[in-house]
Amino acid sequence: MVPNRDLQDSEYKMFRDFLEQQCGIVLGDNKLYLVKSRLGPLMARFNVGSLSELVTKTLSPFERQLRSAVIDAMTTNETLWFRDSYPFELLKKQVLPELEKTTRQLKIWSAASSSGQEPYSIAMTGLEYQQSRPNAFNMGLHILGTDISNTMLEYCQRAEYDGLALSRGLSPERRSKFFEDSGNGMMRLKAAVRKNVSFRHLNLLDSYTLLGKFDIIFCRNVLIYFSPEVKAKIIRQFAGALAPRGFLILGASESLSSINSDFEMIRCNPGIIYRKKV
């Protein structure tokens, strides 16, 4: 029997409300196709015959495993190494030089780590900087990657990637320098990179207090999925999680204009970064 992927308008609205309540993501009226494509594979896995039944079960607080799988499916975004390239160049040429005399461990947060490419790209950038400036960051640097998806966090912690994943944004030079063959067509990041990175589960709607303070926060191509109110709340919490004059790096299409006054905007060429005001 062919699974039924039809969904009534009322069911789609209930699912949209559920997703926004659980993780802040706002689906537009025209995103039904996305729900069908993301949730379709879960129908066979959870032995349901229709998308309508899957959504109805998801709304039940007792279906914890299904709820977790649905949130995983709806929040997992494709990513690549050194995405957009310029933020990592700004990190190496502008941000790290300002922080290199730090007398404690430098702390960087990748606030939506997905499958690990961003935090590991930051770690590689940090290692390259230290190799060019041997006296920088004598107390070391640490990158924390957080994500709402436990499936993605497990993937991150394995630090293993196939040829397709490695082909997306990673130069042959960095592949040779930072990866080693782990068999079965997979490559694993070397220990020198892995030791500087850790991962933990976090919903950006929750408190960040237990994470401590950071010198740099990366939150790129994430805020675009939230409502203005949720976006403002997250930015306030980022400000609270940053050390004085710490840096916030957003996606190219994301801006703090009219959202928050805790940051000063620094125009770069290309790109924009934000520094927390004292």
Side-chain angles (χ1 to χ4, degrees):
M1 181 182 294
V2 178
N4 184 344
R5 296 197 180 192
D6 291 336
L7 207 60
Q8 299 296 321
D9 289 345
S10 59
E11 293 169 327
Y12 178 58
K13 183 181 185 304
M14 285 191 293
F15 181 73
R16 287 170 56 189
D17 292 344
F18 161 80
L19 196 65
E20 183 171 3
Q21 181 185 33
Q22 293 296 311
C23 49
I25 290 178
V26 178
L27 289 177
D29 293 333
N30 60 341
K31 296 292 185 181
L32 178 57
Y33 75 92
L34 183 66
V35 174
K36 290 180 178 181
S37 64
R38 292 288 182 93
L39 300 190
L42 298 181
M43 292 165 63
R45 177 177 160 189
F46 287 92
N47 194 31
V48 295
S50 69
L51 191 60
S52 176
E53 182 185 354
L54 185 83
V55 165
T56 300
K57 284 191 169 186
T58 299
L59 299 178
S60 166
F62 304 107
E63 295 282 352
R64 291 186 178 180
Q65 187 178 1
L66 174 58
R67 280 185 160 215
S68 178
V70 165
I71 290 172
D72 266 9
M74 293 304 302
T75 58
T76 298
N77 295 302
E78 284 199 10
T79 186
L80 59 156
W81 304 97
F82 298 91
R83 183 174 181 178
D84 300 328
S85 70
Y86 76 84
F88 302 95
E89 289 301 309
L90 290 177
L91 182 65
K92 186 184 294 185
K93 294 177 180 177
Q94 186 160 344
V95 177
L96 292 181
E98 288 197 30
L99 298 169
E100 72 169 38
K101 300 300 183 185
T102 301
T103 55
R104 52 174 173 72
Q105 185 184 58
L106 188 80
K107 292 184 64 180
I108 305 174
W109 176 18
S110 170
S113 57
S114 189
S115 47
Q117 280 89 333
E118 180 176 272
Y120 286 130
S121 294
I122 295 169
M124 285 185 266
T125 301
L127 284 173
E128 289 170 348
Y129 187 84
Q130 286 181 300
Q131 287 161 3
S132 67
R133 304 276 295 175
N135 294 322
F137 312 118
N138 289 329
M139 300 302 292
L141 71 163
H142 181 260
I143 298 95
L144 173 67
T146 65
D147 204 90
I148 195 173
S149 168
N150 287 317
T151 302
M152 285 293 101
L153 291 170
E154 291 170 9
Y155 194 94
C156 291
Q157 287 161 342
R158 287 198 299 270
E160 282 190 317
Y161 299 89
D162 61 21
L164 179 61
L166 291 170
S167 70
R168 304 188 66 195
L170 189 69
S171 69
E173 293 78 15
R174 281 175 168 149
R175 176 172 173 160
S176 174
K177 183 177 183 180
F178 293 115
F179 288 79
E180 58 194 3
D181 193 336
S182 60
N184 299 317
M186 304 290 284
M187 299 285 285
R188 191 182 193 204
L189 279 147
K190 292 180 178 179
V193 181
R194 298 198 314 271
K195 71 181 179 65
N196 292 336
V197 189
S198 65
F199 297 93
R200 65 183 290 174
H201 179 271
L202 181 76
N203 185 332
L204 287 176
L205 299 187
D206 295 339
S207 170
Y208 311 159
T209 305
L210 296 179
L211 300 182
K213 295 286 187 180
F214 296 91
D215 300 287
I216 307 165
I217 296 176
F218 275 70
C219 185
R220 305 185 59 240
N221 309 300
V222 178
L223 297 179
I224 53 176
Y225 298 106
F226 298 129
S227 70
E229 296 77 20
V230 170
K231 191 183 303 183
K233 174 180 181 287
I234 290 172
I235 294 298
R236 283 196 304 273
Q237 293 190 183
F238 282 158
L242 275 169
R245 296 185 64 76
F247 292 92
L248 175 62
I249 300 176
L250 302 178
S253 62
E254 296 166 320
S255 169
L256 297 189
S257 298
S258 75
I259 294 178
N260 188 281
S261 59
D262 294 322
F263 296 88
E264 61 175 311
M265 182 172 67
I266 302 171
R267 294 188 179 275
C268 307
N269 187 21
I272 291 170
I273 54 180
Y274 295 90
R275 182 193 278 123
K276 181 181 174 180
K277 295 176 182 176
V278 177

